Amino acid sequence: QENAQGHDEL
Amino acid sequence: MNIFRLVGDLSHLLAIFVLLLKIWKSRSCAGVSGKSQILFALVFITRYLDLFTNFISVYNSLMKVIFIASTVATVYLMYIKFKATYDSNHDTFRIEFLVVPVGGLAFLVNHDFTPLEILWTFSIYLESVAILPQLFMISKTGEAETITSHYLFALGSYRALYLLNWIYRYYFEGYFDLIAVVAGCVQTILYCDFFYLYITKVMWGKKLSLPA
């Protein structure tokens, strides 16, 4: 799911 | 960040550079599917559009730039610089049969109906099937150069490591992304046949050849 800063994985 | 994701990213980076070096050093892209490389370039371009709008970390931004640049460079080497060595007769997978359904699915099943999120979802779905032209090409030629099988092993391992990363993040961070997990499972399952051949053959110094 989206956390505040968008997707944090490559 | 956790060890599974870090090793996964490094395995991904290794795969991309093993392929780039193979083409650059041998000045040939024989046995490599240009269509898969085009799909990978599309995967990175659609996934990393947030490169300038959404800063996560130096590592994240740096890797995004490296992935896009190295994959575009690979496509350039295959279709322009060493075009004469590109084996188009065996690289015949119809990638429109991948891009169109994946595009439609991204519109239907996503976390958020916004352009950036739909493109991210498209990229995740596309990556899970992007290796098919390459695997199809190997099944047609019946064999793969050892360096190409190392490339595939590193590439397949990266998403398998990401599956471990998602298990880790679920238990320790409560993080779970069903779309990424399902696509990651499909992607890794597609490599199982190859993993079997790689471990039973290439690891023992034999050439990777598919049973005729």
Side-chain angles (χ1 to χ4, degrees):
Chain A
Q1 76 279 3
E2 290 271 290
N3 35 29
Q5 60 195 30
H7 298 283
D8 64 345
E9 293 183 336
L10 286 173
Chain B
M1 178 56 83
N2 59 68
I3 187 67
F4 302 113
R5 182 143 64 106
L6 182 61
V7 175
D9 289 341
L10 296 178
S11 179
H12 196 185
L13 197 65
L14 178 69
I16 292 173
F17 279 92
V18 159
L19 183 67
L20 198 54
L21 275 175
K22 170 246 186 290
I23 296 173
W24 180 255
K25 289 277 185 204
S26 67
R27 304 181 72 76
S28 162
C29 50
V32 180
S33 165
K35 297 191 171 188
S36 276
Q37 295 311 312
I38 287 174
L39 292 179
F40 284 126
L42 195 55
V43 163
F44 292 133
I45 290 165
T46 53
R47 187 175 305 181
Y48 299 155
L49 290 171
D50 64 351
L51 178 61
F52 301 108
T53 60
N54 177 14
F55 179 77
I56 306 275
S57 68
V58 173
Y59 168 82
N60 185 273
S61 300
L62 184 64
M63 291 292 265
K64 286 176 176 177
V65 170
I66 294 172
F67 281 165
I68 291 175
S70 53
T71 305
V72 168
T74 303
V75 171
Y76 163 77
L77 289 183
M78 293 195 69
Y79 283 96
I80 297 174
K81 194 158 178 60
F82 302 127
K83 183 178 175 56
T85 65
Y86 170 53
D87 182 3
S88 57
N89 298 322
H90 288 111
D91 192 14
T92 55
F93 197 99
R94 302 286 301 277
I95 55 176
E96 55 271 33
F97 291 168
L98 296 177
V99 174
V100 174
V102 157
L105 188 63
F107 261 91
L108 296 173
V109 181
N110 52 62
H111 290 313
D112 195 17
F113 200 76
T114 60
L116 217 51
E117 188 61 23
I118 288 174
L119 283 170
W120 177 85
T121 309
F122 168 77
S123 162
I124 291 288
Y125 293 152
L126 184 63
E127 187 189 5
S128 63
V129 292
I131 201 62
L132 281 176
Q134 179 68 65
L135 297 178
F136 180 73
M137 182 176 191
I138 289 176
S139 70
K140 281 192 79 173
T141 57
E143 64 172 12
E145 284 179 43
T146 302
I147 190 74
T148 308
S149 54
H150 293 322
Y151 157 71
L152 284 169
F153 183 73
L155 193 61
S157 306
Y158 126 74
R159 213 59 177 173
L161 285 161
Y162 255 70
L163 295 179
L164 300 179
N165 153 64
W166 288 321
I167 294 171
Y168 177 93
R169 291 191 75 180
Y170 179 73
Y171 283 113
F172 292 96
E173 300 170 23
Y175 171 93
F176 183 68
D177 183 341
L178 184 63
I179 286 177
V181 170
V182 171
C185 289
V186 168
Q187 182 169 338
T188 304
I189 287 167
L190 289 178
Y191 282 85
C192 285
D193 176 33
F194 165 77
F195 279 145
Y196 172 75
L197 288 170
Y198 183 85
I199 290 168
T200 55
K201 290 197 176 178
V202 180
M203 293 283 230
W204 305 110
K206 292 186 203 145
K207 193 170 178 56
L208 186 113
S209 58
L210 302 180

